Amino acid sequence: MKPKNWHRKLLLNHTYLYALNAFHWIAGLMPEPMRGWLFRLVLKRMGKGVYLDARVYFKFPRRIEIGNFVSINRGCEFYPSHFGKSVIRIGSNVRIGPGVRFFGAGHDIDSATFDDLGGDIRVGDNCWIGGNATLLAGVEVGEGAVIAAGSVVTCDVPPHVVVGGVPAKVLRSRQPTP
């Protein structure tokens, strides 16, 4: 059974996605400094010294916060939950490899209509997330942590550790040198 006013919601969703994809297409044509200025207008917060490579995608930009001196590589995707009111917060001095995905949105698998769910994703300062890693809703990555390429992070990551695998597990501690 379809919810009440489903056609209106579908039309609004399609209109939003059309406008969002047009925005990302235009941003993709701009050189990096101009792309950064454009995203600074739509993100909830974007600190200084942030580098955004081409083809970075933000589903609900007003639910995304980025700290200072963050590098986000090509093809990264950010999906906070609009209806679940989740946010994605990236700390300062974070390096994010290409193709990393942040899935802060999801659906309730026990609901007959797959109701929207969401959970915040928080990445602490001084972290490195390897290429093609995936972070799921409700995850907090501690300060100074490293996530190995291709990992799927399903639970919190303690500070100053290296995690890897599917699902990601602690591989070892790290002692950052000054």
Side-chain angles (χ1 to χ4, degrees):
M1 183 174 164
K2 294 189 177 175
K4 188 177 178 183
N5 294 326
W6 67 270
H7 57 285
R8 183 172 179 253
K9 291 178 183 176
L10 187 64
L11 179 62
L12 286 172
N13 187 51
H14 285 249
T15 303
Y16 173 77
L17 290 176
Y18 178 81
L20 183 67
N21 287 324
F23 170 83
H24 280 93
W25 181 78
I26 291 167
L29 295 174
M30 297 180 166
E32 198 283 322
M34 291 177 68
R35 189 170 47 250
W37 296 330
L38 188 61
F39 280 115
R40 189 174 303 281
L41 295 174
V42 298
L43 292 172
K44 184 173 182 180
R45 178 181 181 276
M46 186 167 122
K48 62 184 176 182
V50 173
Y51 173 77
L52 296 170
D53 204 341
R55 295 193 309 268
V56 173
Y57 180 81
F58 300 105
K59 177 78 179 263
F60 296 109
R62 297 307 290 172
R63 299 199 175 282
I64 297 167
E65 301 174 20
I66 300 172
N68 299 319
F69 307 108
V70 173
S71 175
I72 302 175
N73 243 297
R74 173 175 309 261
C76 291
E77 299 175 4
F78 296 76
Y79 297 95
S81 171
H82 179 68
F83 298 107
K85 307 250 188 270
S86 70
V87 295
I88 297 173
R89 289 188 179 99
I90 308 296
S92 293
N93 196 35
V94 174
R95 303 293 174 259
I96 302 173
V100 173
R101 291 182 176 87
F102 297 84
F103 291 127
H107 297 279
D108 182 356
I109 62 172
D110 293 321
S111 163
T113 57
F114 295 107
D115 294 336
D116 289 312
L117 291 177
D120 295 349
I121 297 175
R122 299 171 194 262
V123 176
D125 296 340
N126 307 306
C127 292
W128 176 25
I129 303 172
N132 293 318
T134 301
L135 286 78
L136 300 182
V139 165
E140 184 165 349
V141 178
E143 180 179 351
V146 174
I147 298 171
S151 298
V152 177
V153 181
T154 60
C155 58
D156 290 351
V157 175
H160 304 290
V161 298
V162 178
V163 299
V166 179
K169 296 180 184 133
V170 174
L171 302 174
R172 69 177 183 90
S173 293
R174 63 182 293 261
Q175 275 61 32
T177 55

